[in-house]
Amino acid sequence: MAETIPTANFGDTDVQVTRVGLGGEGVLRTFGEEERAGEMLDAALAQGIGYFDTARAYAGSEKYLGAFWRANPGARERVFHTSKSAQRSREGALRELDTTLDNLGTDWLDLWQIHDVRTEADIEEIEARDGALEAFLEARKAGRVRHIGVTGHHDPAILTRCVRDWPIDAVLLPVNPVEGVLGGFLTETLPAARGKGLAVIGMKVFGAGYYLNQQSGLTAELLLRYALSHDVTLVIVGCSKPGHVRTLAQAAREFEPLTVPELRQLETAFEPHAQRLAYYRRPPAAA
């Protein structure tokens, strides 16, 4: 049996989650890869990863996971399971929740997230009468989901506004050296979330793989260490094969925080190209 992965409280709750989680990208964001997805999920459970991420938008991800839970009775109850909906209306969000629960073969989610909030128009639509926020609050009250959250990577100011204004339990945001250079998500959104007692989940740790460069020393282990050195509850990474899962789990087991000089040194390496490397953000306004 693999060595235990360290855990942290999920925000202000007594619920414990592993410091690393399985993202919904990688092999899960495909169709027709049932065997590869099953092998990777087997490895994640064997390594003790206890946080599983997915979303309605992630191709066959929910159905891969549902098939895996059905083939492994009792396993789903051992993990903290999440999904997301990018629907902006109450009706659309509740319809997607029904689909998600059916796909996963479960009666509840541990965390359901308002997905990819980008603009003020998004916020207005979500907050409006019969908007998606109503669906999320209803689902939490009814026990169909135990926690609700928001995700975003487009504009730090927009995500910070959601964190400050909405009665949510968690936020999913990018945590990597590019963000250390640019500021916003790590300097505004993260402190606002922690100030409200929210769980903070880090994503885009490897920048979809663009930030990895073995020859320059930019390894998966180093970037995971960078992300975990921030005040986050956990970080998630999409994996495509069992080896990726083992690297993720081992990084959490062996984690030691980077010193401030080490953090700055890593950010300096990204600084000349940070704007370009933040491919997932809103493009800067033209001068």
Side-chain angles (χ1 to χ4, degrees):
M1 180 178 289
E3 183 183 347
T4 301
I5 295 175
T7 61
N9 287 79
F10 188 76
D12 276 351
T13 76
D14 293 329
V15 176
Q16 292 287 303
V17 290
T18 50
R19 293 298 314 282
V20 294
L22 184 66
E25 302 274 358
V27 69
L28 293 181
R29 195 165 187 175
T30 64
F31 291 108
E33 294 285 355
E34 285 79 9
E35 184 175 352
R36 288 179 60 218
E39 290 173 353
M40 191 273 298
L41 291 169
D42 265 329
L45 271 189
Q47 288 295 318
I49 291 175
Y51 184 105
F52 283 62
D53 171 83
T54 183
R56 285 296 307 120
Y58 293 171
S61 178
E62 288 183 346
K63 289 193 174 182
Y64 288 148
L65 284 158
F68 185 76
W69 303 135
R70 292 179 181 97
N72 294 273
R76 182 267 174 268
E77 288 74 19
R78 305 203 312 263
V79 306
F80 189 100
H81 213 315
T82 85
S83 194
K84 315 179 189 80
S85 172
Q87 292 291 317
R88 300 315 190 208
S89 71
R90 173 184 175 275
E91 181 181 0
L94 289 175
R95 185 169 57 246
E96 285 207 339
L97 179 59
D98 289 339
T99 301
T100 289
L101 295 176
D102 184 61
N103 285 342
L104 294 173
T106 188
D107 294 326
W108 85 96
L109 292 174
D110 295 282
L111 172 65
W112 190 34
Q113 297 156 101
I114 302 172
H115 197 182
D116 194 16
V117 181
R118 297 187 173 208
T119 65
E120 289 187 5
D122 281 344
I123 291 177
E124 291 171 4
E125 191 173 5
I126 291 163
E127 290 181 344
R129 183 175 181 180
D130 293 324
L133 186 58
E134 288 186 7
F136 279 75
L137 294 171
E138 286 177 25
R140 183 174 62 183
K141 184 176 181 180
R144 302 183 75 198
V145 303
R146 294 177 175 173
H147 307 280
I148 61 174
V150 64
T151 86
H153 53 70
H154 197 64
D155 186 334
I158 292 296
L159 192 61
T160 302
R161 181 173 158 189
C162 299
V163 163
R164 288 178 174 159
D165 293 351
W166 293 352
I168 56 177
D169 307 302
V171 61
L172 174 65
L173 49 72
V175 183
N176 56 53
V178 168
E179 293 303 327
V181 172
L182 297 178
F185 288 115
L186 298 184
T187 57
E188 297 173 13
T189 315
L190 192 158
R194 283 309 205 183
K196 283 186 66 177
L198 273 58
V200 178
I201 305 109
M203 64 172 165
K204 303 204 178 296
V205 176
F206 304 151
Y210 295 122
Y211 304 165
L212 295 169
N213 188 317
Q214 293 280 351
Q215 292 180 333
S216 300
L218 296 175
T219 64
E221 292 83 355
L222 179 59
L223 292 175
L224 282 163
R225 194 176 168 203
Y226 177 90
L228 288 168
S229 293
H230 288 77
D231 187 19
V232 298
T233 307
L234 74 150
V235 299
I236 59 172
V237 175
C239 296
S240 292
K241 54 188 179 181
H244 295 165
V245 173
R246 289 191 289 270
T247 297
L248 177 62
Q250 197 61 25
R253 294 188 190 108
E254 298 178 350
F255 171 65
E256 291 185 9
L258 293 173
T259 65
V260 172
E262 287 172 331
L263 288 165
R264 298 294 87 83
Q265 181 180 9
L266 186 52
E267 290 163 358
T268 298
F270 282 82
E271 192 166 6
H273 312 289
Q275 289 285 357
R276 178 176 59 83
L277 289 170
Y279 62 92
Y280 47 80
R281 278 195 179 210
R282 179 181 63 187

